[in-house]
Amino acid sequence: MEEAFGFNLKEAAFGKETKENCGLLIVYNVGENDKILEKALLKNIEISAEFVPALHNGQQIGNAKWGSSIAKLWKSFDGYQQLSIYYPSTKILVFGYFTSYGG
């Protein structure tokens, strides 16, 4: 997964607290000026004023308390969506392969 998003995720997240599990990487304390955020959401983003649920391996990532989201769809394949999702109010950035985003 390190290179699946067009850049080295572990290198970009260096110095940040992270959690990785089965095709999901969560990066904590990502500020609006962090370089990793620029790489994660460079173009073709979707901004939502509300929390948008994302399902990873049948489990929802986050909750409504996380607030608004900014997401980028990298690609879709075999029923999965490769996304990077940023929740500004919690400063959490998520990279992963999701079975559902939204709705």
Side-chain angles (χ1 to χ4, degrees), residues 16-17 26-32 34 37 50-52 61-70 85-94:
K16 299 276 186 205
E17 180 185 352
I26 302 172
V27 184
Y28 299 93
N29 298 314
V30 176
E32 292 182 15
D34 283 342
L37 187 59
E50 299 176 353
F51 175 76
V52 177
I61 302 303
N63 58 58
K65 292 179 184 177
W66 284 21
S68 65
S69 64
I70 303 169
I85 309 168
Y86 181 59
Y87 300 95
S89 65
T90 59
K91 296 185 178 182
I92 294 175
L93 177 60
V94 180

Side-chain angles (χ1 to χ4, degrees), residues 54-84:
L55 292 179
H56 174 77
N57 290 333
Q59 294 187 346
Q60 181 173 298
I61 302 303
N63 58 58
K65 292 179 184 177
W66 284 21
S68 65
S69 64
I70 303 169
K72 177 179 180 181
L73 174 64
W74 292 77
K75 59 185 168 184
S76 296
F77 57 94
D78 297 332
Y80 290 92
Q81 296 174 309
Q82 182 184 11
L83 295 162
S84 52

